[in-house]
Amino acid sequence: MAANIFYFIVFPGFLFTAVVGLLVSWVDRKITARIQWRVGPPWYQNFVDFFKLLGKETIVPRGAGRIGFLFAPLMGLIGVTLVSLILWQMNLDPQRSFMGDVIVLIYLSILPALAIVIGGSSSANPLGAIGTSREMKLILADELPFIMAIFTPLVKIGSLKVGSIITYQLNHGMMFTHHLSSVIALVVAFLCMQAKLTFVPFDIPEAEQEIMAGPYIEYSGPLLALFKLTRAMMLFAMPVFLITIFLGGMQFNGWAIIWSIIKYLVILILIILIKNTNPRLRIDQALKFFWLRMFPLSCIGFVLALVGL
Amino acid sequence: MNKLWALKKSIWVYHVCSGSCNNCDIEILDCLTPKFDLERFGILLVGSVRHADVILATGSITRKALPRIKRVYEQMPKPKLVIAVGGCACSGGIFKNGYNIVGPYDKIIPVTAYIPGCPPKPEAIIDGVVKVINSL
Ligand code: SF4
C-alpha cells in the first residue's frame, strides 16, 4: 500500500513526470527560441511560471459551473499522472502488465482533453465555448486513427498487454525497424500525438491569435497552473507511450539509459520542429486530414499487420 | 517572499489599447520580437487578462473604452500592476483636450509606472519594466 502511494506520488508518478515534463517544455521553448534566432528563457523558467501561478488569485467567473470549473484541471492532471505511472511501471518491469492495459492507457490519455472540454464549457465564456467545440471535434478526429495505429503492433504480436510488447521487442528488436505495418502506424500515431498535445499545426482549440486562449481563457492562478502542468506532463508521457509501443521501450541497465534518452529526444525534437515550421490548420482541414488521410493509412497498416508484415 | 521572487522572474503582460495612435502598440510588439527577445527574462504576452500579471496600457482613455478598461482591470487576478506606456497614457499627450477623452490612465485605475515618450523606444519600455520589477 505504502509502496503504491510512493509510486503514484513520487516515482514514477506525479513528481517525476512533473519535473521532467517541465524540463522538456523548457527544451521546447528553448529550441523554438533558437529557431527564431532568439536567446530563449533559462532552464528554470517553467518552474518559476508554475510557482508564480500558484501564488495568484483564483477567480471563478460569474455564471460559471463551479464544480466543473474547479475540478476539470485536477481530472486532467490525474489522467496524465496515471498514464505516466502505468507506462513507467511496465517499462521498469514488464511482468507487472495486466490484460488489456493498452485500452486503459488509451482511455486515460483522453482524460486531459476531456478535462479541457469540461473546463472550457463550464467557464461561461463565448471564446471558451468556441475553443471547447473545436477541442471536441479534434478529439473525434484524432482518436480513431490513433487507436488503430496503437493496435497495429499489438495485432502483429497477438496480445493486448504492454508488457508482452516490451518483451517481444527486447527479444526481436524494435517494431519500427522490423515491420512495415509498424512504420505506417508510427507515422499515423505520431501525427495524432501532435494533435493530442495540441501543438501547431493542430493547436486549433487554443489558437492564440483568433480566440485568445480558447478553453483556458477564464482560468487564473493555481487552476491555470494545473492545466499548464498537465500539458507539460503530456509532452513527456505521450512520446514515452509511442516509444514503448513502437521503439522498443525505455531500458535502464547500463548504456541502454542513454539509448532510451536519445530515442525520447529525437521524438521530442521532431515534435518541436513540426510545431515551428507549420501554419495552423482550420478545424475542417484537420478533420479532413485525420479522417480522409490518416484513417485510411492506419487501416492499410492494420491490414498489413493482419497479413503478417 | 518566494512568491515575489517567482513573480519577478515570470511577468506575463496583457496589452490594452484605448484611443492611441497605434504607434506605442507597435513599439510594444517590437519588444517581443526576436531582436529584443523579452522571453529570456520570462516576460510573455498573453491573450487573456486572467493569465496576466501586468497590464501594458497605451493611449488616453476614450469615453467608449472607459467601462471596458475598468472591467479588464477588475478581471485581472491579484497581484496586479499597470504600466502606462507612452505620453498619451501618462498624461493625455496630444489628445489631452479631445472632446471624447476621459483622461489618462491614473485617473481611472491605479498605475504603477509611467514610461513617457511618443512613442517610447523598446529600450525605454524594457527599462521601465525592469524598474518596476526591481521596485517590487
Ligand atoms: S504617446 Fe504618441 S505614439 Fe503613443 S499613442 Fe500617444 S500619440 Fe501615439
Side-chain angles (χ1 to χ4, degrees):
Chain A
M1 184 63 194
N4 282 340
I5 291 176
F6 176 79
Y7 290 147
F8 184 76
I9 293 182
V10 184
F11 181 87
F14 177 69
L15 264 183
F16 173 69
T17 319
V19 169
V20 181
L22 288 174
L23 276 179
V24 297
S25 322
W26 167 74
V27 173
D28 166 26
R29 282 171 79 169
K30 185 79 181 176
I31 293 181
T32 307
R34 293 311 298 163
I35 289 173
Q36 300 167 349
W37 286 96
R38 292 190 282 126
V39 179
W43 67 269
Y44 51 78
Q45 188 60 51
N46 283 308
F47 296 92
V48 176
D49 286 353
F50 180 72
F51 286 117
K52 179 206 73 177
L53 284 174
L54 283 187
K56 289 198 63 120
E57 187 189 4
T58 308
I59 301 173
V60 181
R62 185 162 12 113
R66 271 192 101 80
I67 297 177
F69 190 80
L70 292 175
F71 281 96
L74 213 56
M75 178 177 137
L77 194 67
I78 291 173
V80 68
T81 307
L82 284 176
V83 170
S84 180
L85 175 69
I86 296 177
L87 275 173
W88 280 91
Q89 287 280 21
M90 285 169 193
N91 273 306
L92 292 171
D93 178 12
Q95 248 60 50
R96 278 172 171 267
S97 194
F98 53 89
M99 195 62 199
D101 47 8
V102 183
I103 302 175
V104 175
L105 278 176
I106 289 174
Y107 268 91
L108 286 175
S109 67
I110 311 180
L111 271 188
L114 277 185
I116 294 175
V117 170
I118 293 176
S121 53
S122 53
S123 68
N125 184 305
L127 294 178
I130 295 175
T132 306
S133 90
R134 290 183 180 187
E135 175 78 36
M136 253 188 285
K137 284 169 202 153
L138 199 62
I139 300 176
L140 287 180
D142 69 39
E143 205 55 36
L144 187 60
F146 184 72
I147 294 174
M148 290 287 279
I150 292 293
F151 271 89
T152 306
L154 297 169
V155 164
K156 179 74 198 51
I157 63 163
S159 161
L160 262 184
K161 284 183 179 176
V162 176
S164 55
I165 194 158
I166 293 175
T167 33
Y168 178 87
Q169 294 186 88
L170 279 180
N171 300 331
H172 298 82
M174 284 185 213
M175 292 310 278
F176 175 64
T177 46
H178 288 72
H179 302 286
L180 182 63
S181 60
S182 293
V183 176
I184 297 175
L186 179 62
V187 171
V188 174
F190 183 83
L191 289 168
C192 294
M193 179 176 71
Q194 194 86 4
K196 284 182 171 300
L197 297 170
T198 50
F199 274 172
V200 187
F202 305 111
D203 68 333
I204 314 161
E206 277 140 56
E208 206 186 316
Q209 293 83 352
E210 318 164 21
I211 53 171
M212 308 311 158
Y216 306 123
I217 191 163
E218 291 289 347
Y219 277 98
S220 61
L223 298 176
L224 183 66
L226 288 190
F227 266 132
K228 295 262 171 208
L229 186 65
T230 310
R231 283 200 65 174
M233 287 162 80
M234 283 286 275
L235 184 57
F236 179 48
M238 290 310 285
V240 172
F241 194 8
L242 291 203
I243 291 171
T244 309
I245 301 282
F246 295 103
L247 297 175
M250 314 281 268
Q251 275 86 41
F252 300 93
N253 33 6
W255 291 106
I257 295 184
I258 300 200
W259 178 225
S260 308
I261 295 176
I262 289 176
K263 277 191 281 198
Y264 176 74
L265 281 182
V266 167
I267 291 206
L268 181 69
I269 289 172
L270 261 181
I271 294 174
I272 298 171
L273 285 182
I274 291 182
K275 178 186 160 191
N276 277 300
T277 48
N278 279 287
R280 176 167 56 242
L281 297 177
R282 287 197 315 266
I283 186 70
D284 59 320
Q285 289 168 328
L287 271 177
K288 273 198 195 113
F289 176 76
F290 281 115
W291 280 353
L292 302 183
R293 309 261 152 69
M294 286 301 113
F295 180 59
L297 199 59
S298 64
C299 286
I300 293 172
F302 203 78
V303 171
L304 284 182
L306 280 179
V307 299
L309 267 173
Chain B
M1 165 64 210
N2 283 332
K3 255 193 212 173
L4 213 56
W5 175 79
L7 182 64
K8 280 183 187 180
K9 295 274 180 198
S10 137
I11 297 237
W12 291 1
V13 299
Y14 180 77
H15 176 189
V16 168
C17 158
S18 152
S20 82
C21 77
N22 241 248
N23 221 334
C24 284
D25 309 275
I26 290 170
E27 293 302 317
I28 289 178
L29 292 186
D30 266 357
C31 289
L32 302 158
T33 51
K35 180 161 184 194
F36 294 100
D37 184 25
L38 284 185
E39 199 187 358
R40 67 200 146 120
F41 309 122
I43 301 178
L44 272 189
L45 186 72
V46 291
S48 161
V49 75
R50 299 261 196 230
H51 306 178
D53 308 298
V54 170
I55 289 183
L56 287 182
T58 63
S60 43
I61 301 179
T62 58
R63 258 175 231 295
K64 187 139 194 174
L66 177 65
R68 278 118 185 144
I69 299 281
K70 278 187 188 160
R71 226 169 130 194
V72 160
Y73 182 74
E74 280 156 11
Q75 281 180 336
M76 194 168 165
K78 284 172 222 153
K80 46 186 166 186
L81 303 170
V82 178
I83 300 181
V85 179
C88 289
C90 297
S91 66
I94 56 170
F95 302 120
K96 196 173 176 201
N97 297 321
Y99 67 96
N100 58 349
I101 299 298
V102 187
Y105 277 86
D106 50 6
K107 272 197 185 167
I108 313 295
I109 51 180
V111 173
T112 321
Y114 304 86
I115 303 174
C118 183
K121 280 178 146 191
E123 290 92 336
I125 298 178
I126 295 175
D127 186 43
V129 174
V130 168
K131 278 185 181 151
V132 171
I133 292 175
N134 288 337
S135 74
L136 280 175

